[in-house]
Amino acid sequence: MRASRSTNAVAAATFTGLFLVQGCAPVVTSHGYAPPEEMVQSIVEGVDTRGSVRRKIGRPGATGTFSETGWYYVSTTLSKQAFYAPEIVDRRIVAVEFNDVDRVTAVRRYGLEDGRIVDLETRTTPTFGRELTILQQVLGNIGTSGESLLGN
């Protein structure tokens, strides 16, 4: 009886330890699709068309915003650990450009090192003029005529 209690205690401690270690392991997720390099190398500039590119490497994840001269294949790998914000560990972009007759004019490859951080949301609105303190805002209307405040 005594041996089974100690065995249970060791098993519980081992299970708890493994559970805690697993909770510290990062969770890696992938989003999007960028074709492998050997598939990208099969595209020949000036020869391949939109149709042949689609057959060779698939449909693009995005196209040009203002014109349809480019196809973009984007793959991102994220790592998230516990309660921390996700971290981008890899990003691959393949950009295929076409001319007016739908022939490939360029194939470009970009990686995480080619990117720039863009602050899309700053939670502040820029204003012009001087900033007022709370006291100046509260006392700012003292001395103004009541008619302008009432709209008369």
Side-chain angles (χ1 to χ4, degrees):
M1 181 93 173
R2 187 70 82 192
S4 66
R5 283 188 182 169
S6 65
T7 304
N8 288 343
V10 169
T14 302
F15 178 73
T16 303
L18 289 174
F19 182 73
L20 291 174
V21 168
Q22 182 187 4
C24 295
V27 176
V28 177
T29 58
S30 296
H31 301 278
Y33 168 72
E37 184 59 30
E38 53 273 1
M39 292 175 77
V40 175
Q41 289 178 353
S42 70
I43 300 172
V44 180
E45 293 179 17
V47 175
D48 279 312
T49 63
R50 287 181 194 266
S52 64
V53 170
R54 186 180 300 120
R55 285 188 297 278
K56 288 181 179 183
I57 62 176
R59 296 181 59 144
T63 58
T65 304
F66 299 107
S67 66
E68 299 242 354
T69 59
W71 283 3
Y72 304 98
Y73 300 84
V74 182
S75 170
T76 302
T77 303
L78 299 167
S79 176
K80 180 166 175 35
Q81 189 166 2
F83 50 84
Y84 297 107
E87 177 185 355
I88 298 174
V89 293
D90 186 37
R91 176 171 289 142
R92 291 183 47 238
I93 300 171
V94 176
V96 181
E97 295 179 17
F98 300 95
N99 61 13
D100 295 338
V101 291
D102 286 345
R103 296 256 183 229
V104 175
T105 58
V107 178
R108 293 189 171 81
R109 298 153 186 88
Y110 302 100
L112 189 59
E113 64 279 356
D114 298 315
R116 293 182 302 180
I117 296 174
V118 177
D119 188 14
L120 296 177
E121 183 177 339
T122 61
R123 295 276 184 197
T124 59
T125 303
T127 58
F128 299 102
R130 63 186 184 103
E131 292 193 25
L132 301 174
T133 65
I134 292 176
L135 188 60
Q136 288 172 325
Q137 291 176 17
V138 170
L139 301 176
N141 285 331
I142 294 178
T144 59
S145 89
E147 293 175 359
S148 63
L149 293 176
L150 298 175
N152 293 336

